[in-house]
Amino acid sequence: MPPSEFMRLALEEAALALGHASPNPAVGAVLVRDGEIVGRGHTQPPGAAHAEVMALRDAGERARGATAYVTLEPCGHQGRTPPCTRALVDAMVGRVVYAIEDPDPLVRGVGHRQLVEAGIAVEVGDGAEESGRLLEGYLKHRRTGMPFVIAKFAASLDGHIAAASGDSRWVSGPETAAWMHRQRATLDAIVVGSRTVLVDDPQLTARPESATAATHQPLRVVVDSSGRIPASARVLPPPPATLVATTEASAEEWRAAVRRAGAEVLTLPAHDGHVDLDALLGVLGGRGVLTALFEGGGTLLGSLFDARLVDRVQAVIAPLIIGAAEAPSAVSGRGAYRMADAPRLHAVTVERFGDDTMISGLPVWPDTD
Protein backbone atom coordinates (compact mmCIF):
# COMPACT_ATOMS: atom_id res chain seq x y z
CA MET A 1 0.00 0.00 0.00
CA PRO A 2 1.45 3.41 -0.92
CA PRO A 3 2.05 5.93 1.86
CA SER A 4 -0.69 8.31 2.87
CA GLU A 5 -0.57 11.89 1.62
CA PHE A 6 0.90 13.20 4.86
CA MET A 7 3.45 10.39 5.24
CA ARG A 8 4.57 11.05 1.67
CA LEU A 9 5.30 14.64 2.69
CA ALA A 10 7.20 13.37 5.75
CA LEU A 11 9.27 11.16 3.44
CA GLU A 12 10.08 14.19 1.29
CA GLU A 13 11.31 15.94 4.43
CA ALA A 14 13.41 12.90 5.35
CA ALA A 15 15.14 12.93 1.97
CA LEU A 16 16.41 16.45 2.72
CA ALA A 17 18.40 15.05 5.68
CA LEU A 18 20.26 12.32 3.78
CA GLY A 19 24.00 12.77 4.24
CA HIS A 20 23.63 15.71 6.62
CA ALA A 21 22.18 13.63 9.48
CA SER A 22 24.65 10.73 9.61
CA PRO A 23 25.37 8.81 11.73
CA ASN A 24 21.83 9.61 12.87
CA PRO A 25 18.95 8.47 10.68
CA ALA A 26 17.51 10.83 8.08
CA VAL A 27 13.98 11.29 9.42
CA GLY A 28 11.10 13.51 8.36
CA ALA A 29 8.06 14.63 10.34
CA VAL A 30 4.83 16.42 9.47
CA LEU A 31 2.21 17.66 11.95
CA VAL A 32 -1.42 17.73 10.80
CA ARG A 33 -4.37 19.32 12.58
CA ASP A 34 -7.90 19.36 11.19
CA GLY A 35 -6.56 18.18 7.84
CA GLU A 36 -4.08 21.06 7.59
CA ILE A 37 -0.29 20.82 7.79
CA VAL A 38 0.79 22.95 10.74
CA GLY A 39 4.43 21.91 11.02
CA ARG A 40 7.16 20.04 9.21
CA GLY A 41 10.82 19.28 9.77
CA HIS A 42 13.71 16.87 9.20
CA THR A 43 16.72 15.71 11.18
CA GLN A 44 19.46 18.30 11.55
CA PRO A 45 23.21 17.53 11.70
CA PRO A 46 24.44 15.49 14.71
CA GLY A 47 23.93 17.29 18.01
CA ALA A 48 21.08 19.43 16.67
CA ALA A 49 17.32 18.86 16.68
CA HIS A 50 15.62 15.75 15.36
CA ALA A 51 12.77 15.82 12.86
CA GLU A 52 9.96 15.74 15.44
CA VAL A 53 11.38 18.69 17.35
CA MET A 54 11.83 20.71 14.16
CA ALA A 55 8.21 20.05 13.19
CA LEU A 56 6.98 20.96 16.69
CA ARG A 57 8.92 24.23 16.57
CA ASP A 58 7.37 24.97 13.22
CA ALA A 59 3.86 24.26 14.53
CA GLY A 60 4.10 26.06 17.87
CA GLU A 61 0.79 26.01 19.78
CA ARG A 62 -0.94 24.43 16.80
CA ALA A 63 0.75 21.12 17.68
CA ARG A 64 -1.77 20.52 20.51
CA GLY A 65 -4.09 17.71 19.44
CA ALA A 66 -2.34 17.28 16.07
CA THR A 67 -1.29 14.03 14.40
CA ALA A 68 2.45 13.58 13.91
CA TYR A 69 3.51 11.62 10.81
CA VAL A 70 7.10 10.42 11.31
CA THR A 71 9.19 8.20 9.03
CA LEU A 72 10.87 6.32 11.92
CA GLU A 73 9.91 5.40 15.47
CA PRO A 74 10.51 8.47 17.67
CA CYS A 75 13.50 8.08 19.96
CA GLY A 76 12.81 7.65 23.65
CA HIS A 77 16.30 7.94 25.12
CA GLN A 78 18.63 10.77 26.08
CA GLY A 79 21.48 11.09 23.62
CA ARG A 80 23.10 14.29 22.41
CA THR A 81 19.56 15.65 22.35
CA PRO A 82 16.55 14.98 24.65
CA PRO A 83 14.06 12.22 23.74
CA CYS A 84 11.67 13.10 20.91
CA THR A 85 8.91 11.24 22.73
CA ARG A 86 9.15 13.75 25.59
CA ALA A 87 8.81 16.64 23.14
CA LEU A 88 5.73 15.03 21.54
CA VAL A 89 4.13 14.38 24.93
CA ASP A 90 4.91 17.89 26.21
CA ALA A 91 3.39 19.39 23.05
CA MET A 92 0.21 17.36 23.71
CA VAL A 93 -0.03 15.86 20.23
CA GLY A 94 -3.04 13.58 19.95
CA ARG A 95 -1.71 10.85 17.68
CA VAL A 96 1.57 9.59 16.24
CA VAL A 97 1.82 7.63 12.99
CA TYR A 98 5.29 6.28 12.23
CA ALA A 99 6.49 4.18 9.31
CA ILE A 100 8.94 1.64 10.77
CA GLU A 101 10.44 0.53 14.06
CA ASP A 102 13.95 1.74 14.86
CA PRO A 103 16.36 -1.25 15.01
CA ASP A 104 18.77 0.58 17.34
CA PRO A 105 18.73 -1.36 20.65
CA LEU A 106 18.53 1.93 22.55
CA VAL A 107 15.39 2.93 20.68
CA ARG A 108 13.60 -0.21 19.45
CA GLY A 109 10.15 -0.32 20.98
CA VAL A 110 11.02 2.22 23.69
CA GLY A 111 9.60 5.23 21.90
CA HIS A 112 6.42 3.38 21.00
CA ARG A 113 5.88 2.27 24.60
CA GLN A 114 6.48 5.73 26.03
CA LEU A 115 3.96 7.32 23.69
CA VAL A 116 1.30 4.72 24.50
CA GLU A 117 1.93 5.06 28.25
CA ALA A 118 1.42 8.83 27.88
CA GLY A 119 -2.03 8.23 26.38
CA ILE A 120 -1.10 9.06 22.79
CA ALA A 121 -2.65 6.94 20.05
CA VAL A 122 0.07 5.25 17.97
CA GLU A 123 -0.11 3.64 14.51
CA VAL A 124 2.71 1.85 12.71
CA GLY A 125 3.31 0.91 9.07
CA ASP A 126 2.22 3.85 6.94
CA GLY A 127 4.96 4.26 4.31
CA ALA A 128 7.01 1.35 5.70
CA GLU A 129 8.43 0.21 2.35
CA GLU A 130 9.38 3.71 1.25
CA SER A 131 10.94 4.59 4.59
CA GLY A 132 12.91 1.33 4.62
CA ARG A 133 14.36 2.17 1.20
CA LEU A 134 15.29 5.70 2.22
CA LEU A 135 16.86 4.46 5.49
CA GLU A 136 18.54 1.35 4.07
CA GLY A 137 21.98 2.60 5.11
CA TYR A 138 20.92 3.39 8.67
CA LEU A 139 19.01 0.13 9.08
CA LYS A 140 21.94 -2.05 7.99
CA HIS A 141 24.41 -0.07 10.08
CA ARG A 142 22.35 -0.39 13.25
CA ARG A 143 21.86 -4.12 12.69
CA THR A 144 25.42 -5.03 11.68
CA GLY A 145 27.73 -2.07 12.38
CA MET A 146 28.67 -2.03 8.68
CA PRO A 147 27.82 0.47 5.95
CA PHE A 148 25.27 -0.24 3.24
CA VAL A 149 27.35 -0.83 0.09
CA ILE A 150 26.22 0.43 -3.31
CA ALA A 151 28.17 -0.76 -6.35
CA LYS A 152 27.72 1.74 -9.18
CA PHE A 153 29.10 1.77 -12.69
CA ALA A 154 28.34 3.28 -16.08
CA ALA A 155 28.90 0.88 -18.95
CA SER A 156 28.35 0.57 -22.66
CA LEU A 157 25.74 -1.82 -24.04
CA ASP A 158 28.49 -4.44 -24.34
CA GLY A 159 29.60 -4.04 -20.72
CA HIS A 160 32.72 -1.85 -20.97
CA ILE A 161 33.49 1.14 -18.76
CA ALA A 162 36.19 2.62 -21.00
CA ALA A 163 37.71 2.34 -24.45
CA ALA A 164 40.74 0.15 -25.16
CA SER A 165 43.02 3.12 -24.43
CA GLY A 166 41.51 3.48 -20.96
CA ASP A 167 39.64 6.66 -21.95
CA SER A 168 36.33 6.75 -20.05
CA ARG A 169 35.21 10.35 -20.64
CA TRP A 170 32.32 10.03 -21.05
CA VAL A 171 30.52 6.71 -21.15
CA SER A 172 27.27 8.15 -19.82
CA GLY A 173 25.59 11.43 -20.70
CA PRO A 174 25.15 14.79 -18.94
CA GLU A 175 21.80 13.84 -17.39
CA THR A 176 23.47 10.89 -15.65
CA ALA A 177 26.28 13.16 -14.45
CA ALA A 178 23.73 15.55 -12.95
CA TRP A 179 21.99 12.67 -11.14
CA MET A 180 25.35 11.39 -9.90
CA HIS A 181 26.22 14.72 -8.28
CA ARG A 182 22.79 14.93 -6.64
CA GLN A 183 23.28 11.42 -5.27
CA ARG A 184 26.78 12.15 -3.93
CA ALA A 185 25.35 14.90 -1.73
CA THR A 186 23.21 12.26 0.05
CA LEU A 187 26.03 9.77 0.74
CA ASP A 188 28.50 9.33 3.58
CA ALA A 189 31.42 7.97 1.57
CA ILE A 190 32.42 7.46 -2.06
CA VAL A 191 35.08 4.83 -2.82
CA VAL A 192 37.24 4.32 -5.92
CA GLY A 193 40.27 2.27 -6.82
CA SER A 194 43.72 3.57 -7.69
CA ARG A 195 43.28 2.99 -11.43
CA THR A 196 40.30 5.36 -11.49
CA VAL A 197 42.46 8.06 -9.91
CA LEU A 198 45.35 7.39 -12.29
CA VAL A 199 43.19 7.48 -15.43
CA ASP A 200 40.54 10.09 -14.59
CA ASP A 201 42.10 12.16 -11.76
CA PRO A 202 38.62 12.85 -10.28
CA GLN A 203 37.76 15.23 -7.45
CA LEU A 204 34.99 12.94 -6.11
CA THR A 205 32.99 15.89 -4.80
CA ALA A 206 29.26 16.56 -4.93
CA ARG A 207 28.56 19.37 -7.39
CA PRO A 208 24.78 19.39 -8.01
CA GLU A 209 23.13 22.16 -9.97
CA SER A 210 21.98 23.81 -6.73
CA ALA A 211 25.34 23.46 -4.97
CA THR A 212 26.07 25.90 -2.15
CA ALA A 213 28.67 26.15 0.57
CA ALA A 214 26.32 24.02 2.70
CA THR A 215 26.17 21.14 0.19
CA HIS A 216 27.09 17.94 1.99
CA GLN A 217 30.33 16.36 0.78
CA PRO A 218 30.94 12.63 1.30
CA LEU A 219 34.17 11.24 2.69
CA ARG A 220 36.40 10.40 -0.28
CA VAL A 221 38.08 7.00 -0.09
CA VAL A 222 40.78 5.73 -2.44
CA VAL A 223 41.75 2.05 -2.31
CA ASP A 224 45.41 1.85 -3.34
CA SER A 225 46.97 -1.40 -2.21
CA SER A 226 50.51 -0.83 -3.49
CA GLY A 227 50.89 2.98 -3.47
CA ARG A 228 50.31 4.00 -7.07
CA ILE A 229 48.50 7.35 -7.04
CA PRO A 230 50.59 10.53 -7.17
CA ALA A 231 50.66 13.01 -4.32
CA SER A 232 49.41 15.59 -6.86
CA ALA A 233 46.09 13.77 -7.38
CA ARG A 234 43.10 16.12 -7.17
CA VAL A 235 41.30 13.82 -4.75
CA LEU A 236 43.85 14.32 -1.96
CA PRO A 237 43.76 17.96 -0.79
CA PRO A 238 40.96 18.82 1.64
CA PRO A 239 38.23 19.84 1.86
CA PRO A 240 36.43 17.47 1.86
CA ALA A 241 38.33 14.81 3.77
CA THR A 242 40.05 11.96 1.95
CA LEU A 243 41.04 8.54 3.30
CA VAL A 244 43.56 6.45 1.37
CA ALA A 245 43.39 2.76 2.24
CA THR A 246 46.56 0.81 1.52
CA THR A 247 48.58 -2.20 2.68
CA GLU A 248 52.12 -2.84 3.87
CA ALA A 249 53.02 -3.32 0.19
CA SER A 250 53.08 0.46 -0.28
CA ALA A 251 56.27 2.41 0.46
CA GLU A 252 56.45 4.48 3.63
CA GLU A 253 57.80 7.40 1.59
CA TRP A 254 54.68 7.30 -0.58
CA ARG A 255 52.42 7.21 2.47
CA ALA A 256 54.21 10.23 3.91
CA ALA A 257 53.78 12.14 0.64
CA VAL A 258 50.05 11.36 0.55
CA ARG A 259 49.70 12.59 4.15
CA ARG A 260 51.53 15.82 3.27
CA ALA A 261 49.06 16.31 0.42
CA GLY A 262 46.27 16.41 3.00
CA ALA A 263 44.84 12.88 3.09
CA GLU A 264 44.63 10.37 5.91
CA VAL A 265 46.43 7.09 5.20
CA LEU A 266 45.07 3.86 6.66
CA THR A 267 47.17 0.70 6.40
CA LEU A 268 44.96 -2.38 6.38
CA PRO A 269 45.51 -6.14 6.02
CA ALA A 270 45.80 -7.53 2.51
CA HIS A 271 43.55 -10.17 0.97
CA ASP A 272 44.72 -11.77 -2.29
CA GLY A 273 47.21 -8.92 -2.66
CA HIS A 274 44.63 -6.17 -2.30
CA VAL A 275 43.21 -4.13 0.57
CA ASP A 276 40.86 -6.31 2.62
CA LEU A 277 37.54 -4.66 1.79
CA ASP A 278 35.75 -6.25 4.73
CA ALA A 279 38.30 -4.62 7.04
CA LEU A 280 37.86 -1.28 5.24
CA LEU A 281 34.09 -1.44 5.64
CA GLY A 282 34.52 -2.24 9.31
CA VAL A 283 36.59 0.92 9.76
CA LEU A 284 34.07 3.02 7.85
CA GLY A 285 31.19 1.61 9.87
CA GLY A 286 33.04 2.39 13.08
CA ARG A 287 33.32 6.00 11.92
CA GLY A 288 29.57 6.29 11.43
CA VAL A 289 29.47 5.83 7.65
CA LEU A 290 25.98 4.56 6.89
CA THR A 291 26.13 4.39 3.09
CA ALA A 292 29.26 3.85 0.99
CA LEU A 293 29.13 4.16 -2.80
CA PHE A 294 31.80 2.17 -4.67
CA GLU A 295 32.32 3.69 -8.12
CA GLY A 296 34.94 1.27 -9.40
CA GLY A 297 36.85 0.46 -11.46
CA GLY A 298 36.36 -3.13 -12.46
CA THR A 299 39.01 -4.62 -10.17
CA LEU A 300 37.58 -2.95 -7.06
CA LEU A 301 34.00 -3.86 -7.95
CA GLY A 302 35.07 -7.40 -8.80
CA SER A 303 36.61 -7.80 -5.35
CA LEU A 304 33.41 -6.48 -3.78
CA PHE A 305 31.25 -8.98 -5.64
CA ASP A 306 33.63 -11.86 -5.02
CA ALA A 307 33.45 -11.11 -1.28
CA ARG A 308 29.64 -10.74 -1.45
CA LEU A 309 29.82 -7.30 0.13
CA VAL A 310 27.41 -5.57 -2.27
CA ASP A 311 23.99 -4.54 -0.93
CA ARG A 312 22.69 -2.64 -3.97
CA VAL A 313 23.72 -2.41 -7.61
CA GLN A 314 23.27 0.74 -9.69
CA ALA A 315 24.16 -0.01 -13.30
CA VAL A 316 23.92 2.84 -15.78
CA ILE A 317 23.77 1.50 -19.34
CA ALA A 318 24.71 3.94 -22.08
CA PRO A 319 23.62 3.44 -25.73
CA LEU A 320 27.03 2.88 -27.27
CA ILE A 321 29.14 -0.08 -28.36
CA ILE A 322 32.87 -0.14 -27.56
CA GLY A 323 33.65 -3.66 -28.70
CA ALA A 324 37.41 -3.90 -28.01
CA ALA A 325 38.44 -7.14 -26.31
CA GLU A 326 41.02 -5.28 -24.21
CA ALA A 327 38.59 -2.58 -23.09
CA PRO A 328 38.06 -2.75 -19.30
CA SER A 329 34.82 -4.30 -18.11
CA ALA A 330 32.56 -3.00 -15.38
CA VAL A 331 33.19 -5.89 -12.99
CA SER A 332 36.29 -8.09 -12.97
CA GLY A 333 37.46 -10.48 -10.24
CA ARG A 334 36.94 -14.23 -10.14
CA GLY A 335 33.27 -13.88 -10.98
CA ALA A 336 30.87 -16.74 -11.65
CA TYR A 337 32.20 -19.96 -13.22
CA ARG A 338 28.66 -21.07 -14.06
CA MET A 339 25.54 -19.04 -14.68
CA ALA A 340 23.99 -20.68 -11.63
CA ASP A 341 26.72 -19.05 -9.50
CA ALA A 342 25.90 -15.49 -10.59
CA PRO A 343 23.91 -13.25 -8.26
CA ARG A 344 20.64 -11.94 -9.65
CA LEU A 345 18.97 -8.71 -8.70
CA HIS A 346 15.56 -8.45 -7.11
CA ALA A 347 13.43 -5.43 -6.19
CA VAL A 348 14.60 -4.04 -9.54
CA THR A 349 13.81 -0.49 -10.58
CA VAL A 350 14.54 1.21 -13.90
CA GLU A 351 15.07 4.95 -14.47
CA ARG A 352 15.98 6.99 -17.50
CA PHE A 353 18.55 9.80 -17.52
CA GLY A 354 18.43 11.25 -21.00
CA ASP A 355 19.46 8.40 -23.31
CA ASP A 356 20.94 6.37 -20.45
CA THR A 357 19.10 3.70 -18.47
CA MET A 358 19.82 3.03 -14.80
CA ILE A 359 18.96 -0.42 -13.44
CA SER A 360 19.04 -0.73 -9.66
CA GLY A 361 18.38 -3.74 -7.46
CA LEU A 362 19.48 -5.88 -4.54
CA PRO A 363 21.76 -8.83 -5.35
CA VAL A 364 20.70 -12.29 -4.20
CA TRP A 365 23.52 -14.82 -4.01
CA PRO A 366 22.73 -18.32 -5.30
CA ASP A 367 23.03 -20.20 -1.98
CA THR A 368 21.05 -17.70 0.09
CA ASP A 369 17.31 -17.46 0.61
Side-chain angles (χ1 to χ4, degrees), residues 191-231:
V191 189
V192 298
S194 57
R195 178 176 171 80
T196 296
V197 174
L198 290 170
V199 173
D200 295 337
D201 195 20
Q203 292 178 272
L204 297 184
T205 53
R207 303 185 298 278
E209 302 94 327
S210 58
T212 67
T215 297
H216 168 72
Q217 296 294 339
L219 171 69
R220 303 176 296 182
V221 182
V222 179
V223 179
D224 189 347
S225 303
S226 57
R228 303 170 64 202
I229 67 170

Side-chain angles (χ1 to χ4, degrees), residues 75-77 83 85-86 89 109-120:
C75 65
H77 72 289
T85 51
R86 183 190 305 165
V89 171
V110 175
H112 184 114
R113 184 177 66 252
Q114 290 178 351
L115 292 171
V116 171
E117 290 174 349
I120 296 175

Side-chain angles (χ1 to χ4, degrees), residues 39-297:
R40 60 172 68 200
H42 56 268
T43 309
Q44 300 301 295
H50 291 187
E52 297 92 326
V53 173
M54 295 298 293
L56 289 169
R57 289 176 183 174
D58 189 34
E61 290 297 321
R62 296 178 296 172
R64 183 189 294 265
T67 295
Y69 290 84
V70 190
T71 58
L72 184 69
E73 178 185 4
C75 65
H77 72 289
Q78 175 71 47
R80 281 180 284 191
T81 59
C84 292
T85 51
R86 183 190 305 165
L88 291 165
V89 171
D90 290 346
M92 298 184 182
V93 300
R95 178 168 161 254
V96 173
V97 179
Y98 69 85
I100 56 175
E101 180 183 73
D102 193 323
D104 191 314
L106 294 173
V107 181
R108 186 174 57 235
V110 175
H112 184 114
R113 184 177 66 252
Q114 290 178 351
L115 292 171
V116 171
E117 290 174 349
I120 296 175
V122 179
E123 296 180 20
V124 187
D126 183 8
E129 181 179 349
E130 292 79 5
S131 184
R133 171 69 174 87
L134 189 140
L135 287 170
E136 60 190 5
Y138 173 78
L139 297 177
K140 182 190 177 185
H141 185 271
R142 289 305 188 270
R143 289 168 180 151
T144 68
M146 301 284 272
F148 188 91
V149 174
I150 302 172
K152 184 184 82 68
F153 57 84
S156 62
L157 285 172
D158 53 341
H160 296 298
I161 58 173
S165 65
D167 173 32
S168 60
R169 296 177 181 267
W170 297 101
V171 174
S172 53
E175 293 87 353
T176 297
W179 163 77
M180 175 193 71
H181 282 290
R182 291 194 300 271
Q183 183 192 38
R184 284 182 178 180
T186 70
L187 301 167
D188 300 315
I190 179 170
V191 189
V192 298
S194 57
R195 178 176 171 80
T196 296
V197 174
L198 290 170
V199 173
D200 295 337
D201 195 20
Q203 292 178 272
L204 297 184
T205 53
R207 303 185 298 278
E209 302 94 327
S210 58
T212 67
T215 297
H216 168 72
Q217 296 294 339
L219 171 69
R220 303 176 296 182
V221 182
V222 179
V223 179
D224 189 347
S225 303
S226 57
R228 303 170 64 202
I229 67 170
S232 59
R234 295 197 300 166
V235 74
L236 297 179
T242 298
L243 172 67
V244 177
T246 189
T247 70
E248 293 290 350
S250 63
E252 180 54 45
E253 295 82 1
W254 173 83
R255 292 180 224 162
V258 169
R259 290 190 188 99
R260 286 194 297 271
E264 176 186 358
V265 177
L266 180 66
T267 304
L268 292 171
H271 179 74
D272 291 338
H274 300 287
V275 168
D276 186 323
L277 296 179
D278 196 54
L280 172 60
L281 290 172
V283 170
L284 295 178
R287 297 186 180 195
V289 170
L290 305 184
T291 305
L293 176 73
F294 282 69
E295 282 201 344

